[in-house]
């Protein structure tokens, strides 16, 4: 496995703290971007991460005035979010140069300095740029990872690239890079995307009552062909419920929470071949869960049955009336034989 990290060096650099790893590998690139050097072999001047890599701060509810980060978002998690950019190249032929883009966003309320690190399994990695950055609240940066598919790589093999950020906490995002033939992988099918509401704004959807009320959307997406790349929302704020590897063919779940004063959101799913599916949702629209849909279907079936029963009853009454008109009429006091001789 190849492991690259950019670290800041220089004649006036402070000594590394005790928790920082020692530099044990030779520099692959001298003086990259001024004071940055590129190291390989899994060593860096990054703090060791004790515990799991995906440590998320507890969810906090913020009003629009309190957050000042994302317009219209009333409830966010104070975390660092990492997404694979939609222009990332996750499919390549032997010898082809590829670029992956990782979007890092600071959702905290204070500036954070991040150090970036990337590893892979098949030694396709070449460069990482930038190696560190300081992000203000709500600010994002795109980190570029360059790869070259090995000329001897087996067609169909997959290289797992893992990108990590280290700041206040450590957050990672992985992606599968698939080796294909020169024709690439054909995929014109859009990913599947569906949703359900965990909570809504019943009775709190008007401007006079929406303050302090929130709604939550659960989103599920999947792509059976080249795999799912990412799910995003507009306004921003959609969060993955569990970490996943971009390019996976498994189901990916995410959630979105907003104020009832901001009832609309657009959710978009991207697959590796850049096919897109979007949903424009409004929490104030009439929405039925499974039980509601079943009740509506049952009501329609009962209505149809009632119409059929009514038609049969009308036909029965008409037939009964016709039969009553065709009965012979007898006059009182005369026998049937007497009437025939007249």
């Amino acid at each position: 496995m190849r492991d690259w990290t950019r670290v800041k060096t220089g004649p006036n650099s402070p000594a590394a703290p005790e928790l920082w790893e020692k530099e044990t590998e030779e520099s692959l690139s001298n003086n990259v971007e001024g004071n940055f050097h590129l190291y390989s072999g899994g060593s860096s001047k990054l703090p060791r991460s004790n515990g799991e890599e995906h440590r998320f701060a507890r969810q906090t509810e913020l009003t629009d005035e309190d957050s000042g980060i994302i317009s219209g978002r009333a409830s966010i998690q104070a975390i660092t979010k990492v997404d694979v950019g939609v222009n990332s190249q996750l499919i390549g032929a032997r010898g082809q140069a590829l670029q992956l883009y990782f979007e890092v966003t600071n959702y905290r309320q204070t500036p954070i300095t991040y150090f970036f690190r990337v590893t892979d399994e098949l030694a396709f990695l070449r460069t990482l740029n930038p190696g560190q950055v300081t992000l203000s609240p709500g600010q994002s940066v795109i980190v570029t990872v360059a790869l070259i598919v090995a000329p001897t790589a087996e067609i169909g093999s997959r290289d797992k690239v893992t990108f990590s950020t280290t700041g206040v906490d450590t957050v990672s995002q992985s992606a599968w890079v698939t080796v294909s033939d020169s024709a690439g992988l054909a995929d014109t099918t859009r990913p599947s995307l569906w949703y359900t509401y965990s909570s809504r704004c019943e009775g709190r959807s008007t401007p006079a009552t929406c303050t302090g009320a929130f709604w939550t959307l659960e989103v599920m997406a999947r792509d059976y062909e080249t795999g799912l790349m990412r799910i995003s929302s507009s306004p921003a704020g959609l969060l993955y419920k569990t970490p996943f590897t971009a390019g996976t063919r498994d189901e990916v779940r995410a959630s979105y929470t907003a104020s009832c004063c901001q009832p609309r959101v657009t959710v978009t799913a991207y697959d590796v071949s850049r096919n897109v599916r979007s949903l424009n949702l409004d929490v104030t629209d009439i929405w039925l869960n499974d039980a509601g849909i079943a009740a509506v279907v049952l009501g329609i079936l009962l209505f149809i049955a009632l119409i059929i029963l009514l038609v049969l009853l009308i036909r029965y009454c008409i037939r009964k009336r016709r039969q009553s008109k065709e009965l012979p009429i007898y006059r009182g006091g005369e026998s049937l034989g007497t009437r025939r001789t007249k």
Side-chain angles (χ1 to χ4, degrees):
M1 177 182 293
R2 180 169 295 186
D3 180 353
W4 285 2
T5 309
R6 287 181 185 268
V7 295
K8 190 169 184 179
T9 62
N12 298 323
S13 299
E18 293 182 358
L19 289 180
W20 288 12
E21 301 175 6
K22 296 181 180 179
E23 299 174 12
T24 59
E25 301 294 332
E26 295 182 357
S27 173
L28 294 181
S29 175
N30 293 323
N31 199 23
V32 178
E33 293 186 356
N35 291 332
F36 288 94
H37 294 271
L38 192 59
Y39 291 89
S40 68
S43 64
S44 68
K45 280 189 176 180
L46 298 181
R48 289 193 180 96
S49 57
N50 297 322
E52 62 180 2
E53 291 188 344
H54 298 275
R55 293 181 297 165
F56 295 92
R58 66 180 180 86
Q59 182 166 337
T60 57
E61 293 184 346
L62 306 173
T63 64
D64 293 342
E65 294 79 14
D66 292 333
S67 66
I69 296 177
I70 303 173
S71 176
R73 291 284 290 135
S75 177
I76 64 172
Q77 288 184 341
I79 63 169
T80 298
K81 191 169 189 291
V82 179
D83 274 316
V84 177
V86 296
N87 292 321
S88 297
Q89 299 169 285
L90 298 184
I91 300 174
R94 295 170 176 172
Q96 182 178 351
L98 305 176
Q99 286 190 327
L100 275 61
Y101 304 99
F102 292 90
E103 300 174 5
V104 182
T105 304
N106 177 20
Y107 280 141
R108 298 181 180 275
Q109 293 181 282
T110 57
I112 302 294
T113 297
Y114 295 101
F115 297 87
F116 303 133
R117 170 178 176 172
V118 63
T119 64
D120 80 332
E121 296 177 347
L122 301 182
F124 292 172
L125 289 175
R126 290 298 179 268
T127 60
L128 168 70
N129 182 45
Q132 74 174 63
V133 71
T134 299
L135 296 180
S136 301
Q139 187 179 5
S140 299
V141 67
I142 296 179
V143 182
T144 303
V145 175
L147 307 90
I148 297 180
V149 180
T152 57
E154 181 180 353
I155 293 178
S157 61
R158 307 179 83 187
D159 183 21
K160 187 175 184 179
V161 179
T162 301
F163 173 84
S164 302
T165 70
T166 300
V168 174
D169 52 14
T170 299
V171 181
S172 298
Q173 175 64 56
S174 298
W176 289 111
V177 175
T178 303
V179 181
S180 68
D181 56 22
S182 57
L185 299 178
D187 177 15
T188 59
T189 304
R190 296 189 298 170
S192 301
L193 181 63
W194 61 101
Y195 68 95
T196 184
Y197 288 105
S198 295
S199 60
R200 304 195 68 192
C201 298
E202 292 86 352
R204 304 292 298 273
S205 58
T206 65
T209 60
C210 66
T211 303
F214 302 92
W215 59 279
T216 300
L217 178 73
E218 303 293 335
V219 179
M220 290 73 70
R222 189 169 190 174
D223 186 82
Y224 291 94
E225 302 296 329
T226 52
L228 189 73
M229 179 178 288
R230 65 178 286 180
I231 313 172
S232 63
S233 66
S234 178
L238 184 138
L239 301 171
Y240 298 114
K241 298 182 75 70
T242 56
F244 81 101
T245 301
T248 181
R249 296 181 178 90
D250 296 331
E251 179 182 292
V252 177
R253 293 175 174 266
S255 64
Y256 177 87
T257 301
S259 167
C260 289
C261 299
Q262 305 291 336
R264 298 177 184 85
V265 65
T266 298
V267 179
T268 305
Y270 304 83
D271 69 10
V272 171
S273 297
R274 300 176 189 173
N275 299 306
V276 178
R277 186 183 295 274
S278 295
L279 294 175
N280 296 311
L281 304 177
D282 188 332
V283 72
T284 60
D285 289 342
I286 297 176
W287 182 84
L288 298 175
N289 56 19
D290 293 341
I293 294 174
V296 171
V297 172
L298 180 60
I300 293 174
L301 293 177
L302 290 176
F303 180 72
I304 294 174
L306 181 61
I307 292 177
I308 294 174
L309 182 62
L310 183 61
V311 170
L312 293 176
L313 182 60
I314 292 174
R315 291 187 61 184
Y316 173 78
C317 292
I318 293 175
R319 184 176 299 176
K320 193 73 173 176
R321 182 173 296 180
R322 286 178 180 176
Q323 289 178 353
S324 63
K325 288 182 178 180
E326 292 175 357
L327 291 176
I329 300 175
Y330 298 97
R331 296 179 180 177
E334 294 184 351
S335 64
L336 183 60
T338 305
R339 293 204 312 271
R340 287 178 178 175
T341 57
K342 288 184 178 180

